[in-house]
Amino acid sequence: MPADPLHRATKPQRSMTSQPPSGSGASAVEVRRSARRRRTVSAYREGDRTVVLIPARMSEAEEQRWVGVMLDKLAAQESKRLLGDSELAERAERLSAQYFAGRARPTSVRWVTNQNTRWGSCTPSEGSIRLSHRLQGMPEYVVDYVLVHELAHLLVPGHGPDFWRLLEAYPRTERARGYLEGVVAADRLPYHPSAREE
């Protein structure tokens, strides 16, 4: 009896995106398209790359959008699992080396639970950086942006033109700021249980 064409195993089509957005935690992204996959999109890490599984019918624009969404979701999951104070300090050291030639040298970097109106703070005279616990679980590039922002304050205390010029070195500044603005806006929205349950 011939195989049912709707349930026949087919090889997924593949396309490669060589460089994911910085801060995604992987060096390459492989997109696998499947005719059997109708609506769902999923992703997982495989060694040093990220595999994103999508329906074959998706357009290139939808593919790019979903790759970004899935990279953010994976990064958020990894941030929840991995980042304690020591990892946060190591990350700050790497970011300082990458974006400021190692000139920003904090004496301490830690999570705090008493910052509910700020994402982070810095005391340049002490060299201390504190990040709000509310950032935990957000995408890596967002946490990195806040770290880079506070590291820049070790070099330039205020928010003048010199400070913002320093932040231009971090390529995902605008995207991270947009993400954080979205979180703030969502927190201000009224809660309507009936609308969410539909």
Side-chain angles (χ1 to χ4, degrees), residues 43-192:
Y44 60 91
R45 303 282 192 214
E46 189 175 81
D48 66 345
R49 67 185 169 156
T50 302
V51 177
V52 181
L53 307 169
I54 65 171
R57 63 177 172 70
M58 257 190 199
S59 69
E60 290 294 319
E62 288 175 305
E63 174 184 319
Q64 289 305 310
R65 184 178 75 78
W66 275 105
V67 165
V69 166
M70 298 312 289
L71 289 174
D72 287 349
K73 282 187 175 185
L74 285 174
Q77 291 168 357
E78 290 164 355
S79 290
K80 281 181 185 174
R81 282 195 308 263
L82 302 175
L83 289 182
D85 287 349
S86 61
E87 291 89 1
L88 200 59
E90 289 170 14
R91 197 160 178 172
E93 187 177 327
R94 282 194 307 273
L95 291 167
S96 176
Q98 185 174 359
Y99 297 108
F100 305 126
R103 294 180 299 131
R105 295 189 182 117
T107 56
S108 71
V109 182
R110 61 191 173 91
W111 296 108
V112 294
T113 57
N114 63 351
Q115 289 189 23
N116 294 315
T117 59
R118 298 184 197 192
W119 296 113
S121 62
C122 172
T123 308
S125 61
E126 297 173 5
S128 62
I129 292 175
R130 295 159 305 280
L131 264 57
S132 172
H133 72 287
R134 295 177 305 138
L135 289 164
Q136 291 175 324
M138 288 190 188
E140 285 183 8
Y141 74 90
V142 175
V143 176
D144 285 352
Y145 164 72
V146 177
L147 278 172
V148 168
H149 183 107
E150 301 308 333
L151 287 165
H153 278 310
L154 293 177
L155 303 173
V156 178
H159 286 104
D162 291 341
F163 173 81
W164 293 110
R165 266 193 292 280
L166 279 177
L167 277 189
E168 288 174 2
Y170 184 64
R172 299 186 83 185
T173 292
E174 288 306 312
R175 185 171 183 194
R177 286 176 58 114
Y179 185 98
L180 293 171
E181 288 170 5
V183 169
V184 170
D187 284 346
R188 292 182 183 148
L189 292 174
Y191 176 68
H192 297 292

